Amino acid sequence: MIRYLATAALAAAPLLPSASPALTPDTVHRGVTGCFSWSWKDGGAVTTTVYYRNRCDSAHTLRIRWSSAASGNEDIKVKAGAKGSTWSFISLKPLSFADLGRA
């Protein structure tokens, strides 16, 4: 009888709702600011990486404003058509992006 109950419980287990919380996918943020396209993803445990690309035919400066007053603004000179990345420590998030014009 116990063997029958154990077998029945194992057979019914896939039908029961899972007790573990559902995993949520990380949100990817994308945008365009002036000559730059940029992206970054939520969910970094220690750092947040921002990827960027200069879509113009001349060098421009990208300004990233981070969520910490200590980090402040980061200005990055990017050659025409170039792409790159930058990161912040302790999971700071970028608050805004600005194309400061020709570098």
Side-chain angles (χ1 to χ4, degrees):
M1 178 71 165
I2 293 176
R3 184 179 296 172
Y4 172 76
L5 291 175
T7 305
L10 289 174
L15 303 176
L16 298 174
S18 174
S20 63
L23 296 176
T24 57
D26 294 333
T27 301
V28 176
H29 304 270
R30 299 178 196 278
V32 173
T33 301
C35 286
F36 294 98
S37 59
W38 50 263
S39 67
W40 62 278
K41 182 173 76 167
D42 285 333
V46 178
T47 63
T48 299
T49 302
V50 171
Y51 299 91
Y52 54 83
R53 179 174 168 253
N54 181 352
R55 304 174 312 143
C56 288
D57 293 334
S58 60
H60 277 244
T61 301
L62 173 65
R63 173 171 285 170
I64 301 172
R65 187 170 67 119
W66 295 100
S67 61
S68 166
S71 294
N73 296 329
E74 181 177 0
D75 294 344
I76 306 164
K77 181 178 175 183
V78 185
K79 294 180 182 178
K83 55 185 166 180
S85 64
T86 187
W87 59 276
S88 70
F89 191 63
I90 314 175
S91 295
L92 299 177
K93 297 190 181 336
L95 295 178
S96 65
F97 298 87
D99 182 349
L100 300 181
R102 290 182 182 225

